[in-house]
Amino acid sequence: MSEPLVVGLSAVIVAVTDETPRVLAVRRPGAPGAPEGWGLPSGPLDPERDRTLELALRSWVRAQTGLELGYVEQLYTFGDRERRTAGPWDGPREISIAYLALVREGAAPGPAGATWLDVYDLFPWEDWRRGGPPGVDPVVAPAAARGVGPAGGPSRTARRERADIAFGLGGAAWDGDRVLDRYELLYETRAVAEALRDAGGGSRPTAGTGRALALDHRRILASALGRLRGKLRYRPVAFELLPPLFTLSQLQRTVEALAGLRLHQQNFRRLVEQGGLVEGTGKIETRTGGRPAELFRFRREVLRERPAPGVGLPGRRRRRSADGAA
Amino acid sequence: MSEPLVVGLSAVIVAVTDETPRVLAVRRPGAPGAPEGWGLPSGPLDPERDRTLELALRSWVRAQTGLELGYVEQLYTFGDRERRTAGPWDGPREISIAYLALVREGAAPGPAGATWLDVYDLFPWEDWRRGGPPGVDPVVAPAAARGVGPAGGPSRTARRERADIAFGLGGAAWDGDRVLDRYELLYETRAVAEALRDAGGGSRPTAGTGRALALDHRRILASALGRLRGKLRYRPVAFELLPPLFTLSQLQRTVEALAGLRLHQQNFRRLVEQGGLVEGTGKIETRTGGRPAELFRFRREVLRERPAPGVGLPGRRRRRSADGAA
DNA sequence: ATCACTTATACTCATTGCTAACATAAGGCG
DNA sequence: CGCCTTATGTTAGCAATGAGTATAAGTGAT
């Protein structure tokens, strides 16, 4: 019942600065030859000291990066044998309990060895704010749809179907939440660097598939982004990333950054304002250019008024025109 | 980094039979004096044999109960020190990775020592299909709202606020998904049997707070029910619990059983039919009484047509009449 | 000072989705 | 044969959404 097993905690710490979602990365020790040394902050669970898993996480994140985490939520527990990198290596099996944490912009970058990475450098195909990412859509989606099995075989057909759903091909709608599905398809079809690394193969990753992280950390991050996008819809998580007072544009840009979408400004305003999510303070923010904006704050009372308060995002309704001729 | 830690897997295996959601429970070994011996099926992770966590789960569930699981989804990882029962006991810290599995009704109950428990025997306050559960609402909700701290103190006020939101008191709306919130409030206020047991206290649990399970298994089940209710909205999970062919009434009763709510029949029908979730086969089910019903099947194509296909449930919109005078 | 430009905010309108009621169909049963 | 039960079909009204148009209030250039 208790074999050699190591339990660790990983943290996906997200902030949004300058309309860019960022994730905190640390340089991984070990793996000295590898050119890519970045990974998620990880730490042990000390059963002696930490009463709960979440406290353990907060404690070593504080020690390791100086950050005091606010919003923290458990994400997923990763424990597949293939987690470890590169081929058959017989160290102890490692299980990692991943957490998602949100911090306000301007949080200190912490000690040396930690940086904020642009999330969309790791997932270029997820950012649709300026239309489909240039050059990515025509490359990445087909890469995910092409199979590794025999052409025309059942596994190929099934993967094709999955790719259509994940990437919104062949009449399917794009669902922003399916970040993990998309990454996993790219991994399975050996389009991303990690897949080649783990297989020990020497070929080059498909262009436009973003930069890699250590171990399965990009997969963990994909889970986190998908979860976060989903949660935007029904929990007021966006406010965890903003200062106490903010303009509606700031709020909208933050949501857009996470969702990877542009939103209709007037409707967004109506939704959050009439939805009771925010309330105006009288104060005025003197903007860089244009008319000054009112400063708003989050209305906590909305939690008792509405069952699932979140910002309005498209993609939960039927496709506008489903001319799905594959 | 590796202290005495045991990693186990727990399974919340859910079926719906006769309009009743049921969960598979096994008699717990050990705890010989305790009157309540039921708990969730649990098993080890064998790092040698099982390539992934999910495979490990399927494998020992098969061995232990004879069930071949279909739909399986990871739920949450529980690792608080307080998991273990009854006071300071210094065995190894145990971490449990909980999974939710759905099986079709009529699945064999498996070998001796396993039964299906009615979920609402464990959470009577969650079943609103016949109006508020008789006698429960006036008792349970106040129990959750009363505090253990000093009266009027900040912790009391905060708990009151949480109770209002969780139980839909004081003008707040009832949110079916907040199963865990409600159970945790009842635990914190020592209303449920487990809280008294874990504290070693001798008093009696509040009437109407349902039967207990071993360890933190009722908490795990609360997570599962909440997750399942949420998922009904945007994933076609209900079909995992039904035979391949079913009438719309069967489908509705299954959904109602899980949601703990009565639904408007005509609207439900329109939503699933026009929503493309089901398609009629020509076949007719000769019912017990009344007009025979057509048999339907799940339309898999809906997955590519709609981003988040699920059955319509109330509770995602604004409260009908928000006359929230506490 | 005024104009062009930028951003914020307000209002309108059509469409879609949801609620709830009404109406009809098709069996079993006394 | 009429009544009960359950299934199925239709429609009006309202709420939420998506998208367009208009106005307000600043900044900086001419």
Side-chain angles (χ1 to χ4, degrees), chain A residues 227-289:
Chain A
R227 175 80 70 91
L228 190 48
R229 284 180 171 179
K231 210 133 199 178
L232 280 175
R233 288 206 176 71
Y234 62 97
R235 285 295 129 108
V237 283
F239 304 103
E240 305 289 341
L241 298 157
L242 285 169
L245 294 186
F246 48 84
T247 68
L248 293 187
S249 295
Q250 269 181 288
L251 174 60
Q252 178 172 353
R253 283 193 295 267
T254 301
V255 171
E256 287 176 335
L258 294 172
L261 292 173
R262 280 256 163 267
L263 301 174
H264 184 113
Q265 175 168 302
Q266 292 90 329
N267 291 339
F268 181 83
R269 156 179 303 270
R270 184 182 51 192
L271 279 171
V272 297
E273 226 175 343
Q274 291 192 21
L277 232 67
V278 298
E279 61 188 352
T281 68
K283 308 196 187 66
I284 297 296
E285 162 81 328
T286 318
R287 299 280 312 113
T288 47

Side-chain angles (χ1 to χ4, degrees), chain B:
Chain B
M1 194 135 176
S2 83
E3 308 274 336
L5 261 176
V6 175
V7 175
L9 301 167
S10 306
V12 179
I13 305 174
V14 173
V16 176
T17 320
D18 300 332
E19 318 188 22
T20 305
R22 298 178 200 276
V23 60
L24 193 67
V26 297
R27 216 164 248 299
R28 300 282 302 181
E36 290 283 340
W38 295 106
L40 297 175
S42 305
L45 167 66
D46 182 345
E48 301 298 313
R49 227 190 33 169
D50 306 307
R51 206 161 40 80
T52 73
L53 298 177
E54 196 181 304
L55 287 176
L57 182 90
R58 288 176 190 275
S59 130
W60 64 248
V61 165
R62 190 187 307 117
Q64 201 168 309
T65 71
L67 275 181
E68 192 66 53
L69 297 182
Y71 180 92
V72 167
E73 149 188 0
Q74 190 185 300
L75 200 54
Y76 199 82
T77 298
F78 297 84
D80 292 0
R81 189 182 292 157
E82 283 71 21
R83 294 200 65 232
R84 63 167 178 249
T85 219
W89 169 68
D90 274 324
R93 175 86 163 262
E94 186 174 324
I95 288 187
S96 181
I97 309 175
Y99 278 79
L100 167 64
L102 305 179
V103 301
R104 301 213 150 69
E105 71 177 328
T115 358
W116 292 99
L117 298 181
D118 182 341
V119 169
Y120 294 131
D121 284 347
L122 294 128
F123 303 102
W125 61 88
E126 294 292 343
D127 190 2
W128 286 75
R129 283 175 296 173
R130 284 168 292 276
V136 167
D137 185 39
V139 173
V140 171
R146 94 169 170 246
V148 288
S155 117
R156 278 288 274 277
T157 313
R159 196 192 310 279
R160 171 80 215 196
E161 168 85 4
R162 283 173 56 210
D164 284 357
I165 294 172
F167 285 89
L169 308 172
W174 172 268
D175 183 348
D177 297 5
R178 296 188 176 273
V179 186
L180 183 59
D181 291 354
R182 288 187 279 270
Y183 176 77
E184 290 196 330
L185 275 163
L186 292 173
Y187 187 98
E188 287 173 30
T189 52
R190 305 239 210 277
V192 294
E194 288 94 332
L196 303 166
R197 178 199 67 195
D198 296 350
S203 50
R204 204 178 305 282
T206 305
T209 54
R211 68 189 289 183
L213 290 180
L215 297 172
D216 57 351
H217 287 185
R218 191 149 56 139
R219 179 184 308 259
I220 296 178
L221 184 55
S223 302
L225 183 57
R227 175 81 70 92
L228 190 47
R229 284 181 172 179
K231 210 136 198 176
L232 280 175
R233 289 207 175 72
Y234 62 97
R235 283 295 127 104
V237 282
F239 304 102
E240 306 287 342
L241 298 158
L242 286 168
L245 294 187
F246 48 84
T247 68
L248 292 188
S249 294
Q250 270 182 287
L251 174 60
Q252 180 173 351
R253 282 193 297 267
T254 300
V255 171
E256 285 176 336
L258 294 172
L261 291 173
R262 282 256 162 268
L263 301 174
H264 184 112
Q265 175 166 299
Q266 290 91 331
N267 291 339
F268 181 83
R269 156 178 304 270
R270 181 169 42 76
L271 280 173
V272 297
E273 225 174 345
Q274 290 191 23
L277 231 66
V278 299
E279 62 188 351
T281 66
K283 308 195 185 65
I284 296 296
E285 162 80 326
T286 318
R287 299 280 311 115
T288 47
R291 172 174 173 177
E294 185 171 6
L295 285 167
F296 288 76
R297 77 164 66 89
F298 172 53
R299 255 187 92 243
R300 282 202 69 249
E301 304 89 300
V302 75
L303 293 172
R304 74 160 53 218
E305 292 165 3
R306 288 172 53 189
V311 301
L313 285 183
R316 261 17 188 165
R317 15 192 51 201
R318 202 94 75 278
R319 198 166 160 64
R320 301 100 174 81
S321 66
D323 55 308

Side-chain angles (χ1 to χ4, degrees), chain A residues 2-57:
Chain A
S2 83
E3 308 273 337
L5 263 176
V6 175
V7 174
L9 301 167
S10 307
V12 179
I13 304 173
V14 173
V16 176
T17 319
D18 298 334
E19 317 189 22
T20 305
R22 299 179 198 276
V23 60
L24 194 66
V26 297
R27 214 162 251 299
R28 301 283 301 181
E36 290 283 339
W38 294 108
L40 296 175
S42 305
L45 167 65
D46 181 344
E48 302 300 312
R49 226 190 34 168
D50 305 308
R51 206 161 40 81
T52 73
L53 299 177
E54 197 181 303
L55 287 176
L57 182 90

